[in-house]
């Protein structure tokens, strides 16, 4: 990237991008609360997609997708993706075409407006410190999912700061119990646009590599672990 452009982007980031993202988030969150309450969480999803696309447009984030032939946006999946940056969220929400219900830590529900908006979208809040409680939350939420709703997990459990972390089992148990196929997605280059734990935002291109879906039938614990290892290898293979 041109060094002069990098320098020029910094005042643009602070004067335009960050204030615009805050305003966009507030307006769209309030709109989601209204639409989700009056109509349905799936109807509010269109607003979340608009929010995500505006964020990327303002910040000059381009998204390239490989593997569009591997999935049907109108179908439902258990989406699992690696996670290196907060940029991953608008990229996945705005450009996959899926009706996404995020699995989120329950602490985020306490954030004014944002927490209520995510609940209106049908997001699933879980207690990450209590595995059994998290499982029960996901089971309860399953009853309210529409036929086209895809549930998205970051199975590493947190943002990785280096190599892909081991996957936790929750997403895969949910896939096995719900009958939804797992849709593995590899996200590349997002950490260069917004590194973890910083506000060092820069424009750039994020690549989404969407792999073929994987069905997980009812199986034994060793068989499930083997499936998880295979999916982990798939996501890691193009990083």
């Amino acid at each position: 990237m041109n060094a002069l452009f990098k320098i020029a982007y910094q005042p643009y980031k602070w004067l335009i991008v960050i204030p615009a993202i805050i305003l966009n988030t507030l307006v769209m969150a309030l709109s989601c609360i209204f639409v989700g309450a009056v109509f349905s969480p799936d109807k509010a999803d269109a607003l979340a997609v608009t929010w995500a696309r505006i964020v990327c447009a303002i910040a000059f984030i381009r998204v390239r997708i490989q593997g569009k032939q591997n999935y049907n946006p109108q179908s439902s999946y258990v989406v699992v993706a690696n996670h290196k940056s907060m940029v991953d969220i608008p990229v996945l929400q705005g450009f996959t075409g899926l009706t996404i219900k995020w699995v989120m830590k329950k602490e985020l529900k306490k954030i004014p407006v944002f927490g209520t908006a995510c609940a209106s979208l049908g997001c699933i809040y879980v207690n990450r410190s209590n595995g059994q409680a998290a499982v029960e939350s996901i089971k309860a939420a399953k009853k309210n999912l529409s036929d086209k709703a895809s549930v998205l997990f970051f199975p590493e459990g947190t943002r990785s700061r280096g190599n892909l972390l081991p996957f936790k089992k929750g997403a895969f148990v949910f896939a096995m119990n719900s009958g939804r196929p797992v849709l593995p997605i590899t996200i590349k280059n997002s950490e260069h646009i917004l590194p973890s734990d910083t506000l060092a935002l820069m424009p750039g291109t994020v690549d989404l590599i969407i792999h073929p879906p994987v069905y997980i039938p009812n199986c034994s614990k060793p068989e499930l672990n083997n499936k998880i290892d295979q999916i982990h290898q798939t996501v890691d293979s193009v990083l």
Side-chain angles (χ1 to χ4, degrees):
M1 185 181 298
N2 184 286
L4 186 60
F5 180 78
K6 286 185 177 181
I7 294 170
Y9 187 80
Q10 296 312 302
Y12 171 76
K13 175 182 74 176
W14 291 107
L15 295 174
I16 304 296
V17 177
I18 292 177
I21 288 175
I22 292 171
L23 179 60
N24 175 41
T25 301
L26 179 61
V27 171
M28 288 301 178
L30 291 171
S31 300
C32 284
I33 293 169
F34 174 77
V35 172
V38 175
F39 298 100
S40 70
D42 285 358
K43 294 292 184 184
D45 186 73
L47 295 169
V49 171
T50 301
W51 165 82
R53 286 180 170 265
I54 290 173
V55 167
C56 291
I58 292 169
F60 299 142
I61 298 169
R62 182 184 173 212
V63 180
R64 295 185 300 203
I65 300 180
Q66 302 175 40
K68 289 183 179 180
Q69 73 280 4
N70 289 329
Y71 76 110
N72 178 0
Q74 299 304 312
S75 297
S76 61
Y77 302 93
V78 175
V79 181
V80 296
N82 61 305
H83 188 27
K84 286 195 171 185
S85 169
M86 293 302 291
V87 168
D88 300 336
I89 294 168
V91 165
L92 289 167
Q93 181 72 64
F95 295 91
T96 61
L98 296 165
T99 301
I100 293 175
K101 311 301 177 186
W102 298 79
V103 176
M104 308 168 67
K105 58 183 179 181
K106 69 172 187 176
E107 289 80 4
L108 295 175
K109 193 173 185 179
K110 298 176 183 178
I111 299 176
V113 183
F114 174 83
T116 305
C118 290
S120 298
L121 285 165
C123 296
I124 303 168
Y125 288 106
V126 299
N127 183 353
R128 295 198 306 186
S129 64
N130 186 326
Q132 185 57 40
V135 170
E136 293 303 320
S137 296
I138 294 171
K139 282 182 179 179
K142 182 175 68 172
K143 301 174 184 177
N144 299 319
L145 294 173
S146 70
D147 291 339
K148 66 175 184 177
S150 291
V151 181
L152 192 146
F153 292 77
F154 289 128
E156 294 168 280
T158 186
R159 278 170 285 167
S160 57
R161 274 72 175 176
N163 295 331
L164 187 66
L165 299 174
F167 284 172
K168 298 182 183 297
K169 293 182 181 179
F172 308 96
V173 172
F174 178 77
M176 183 171 65
N177 292 337
S178 68
R180 285 172 165 82
V182 173
L183 186 67
I185 297 180
T186 302
I187 307 171
K188 293 182 67 175
N189 304 319
S190 63
E191 72 276 18
H192 303 309
I193 293 173
L194 182 62
S196 292
D197 310 314
T198 77
L199 287 175
L201 179 68
M202 290 295 295
T205 300
V206 177
D207 291 298
L208 295 181
I209 298 93
I210 302 177
H211 305 279
V214 178
Y215 288 86
I216 301 182
N218 288 323
C219 58
S220 65
K221 184 176 180 179
E223 291 170 327
L224 177 61
N225 289 338
N226 185 51
K227 283 282 188 182
I228 295 172
D229 288 342
Q230 290 173 6
I231 294 168
H232 186 279
Q233 291 170 17
T234 296
V235 172
D236 195 33
S237 65
V238 288
L239 282 174

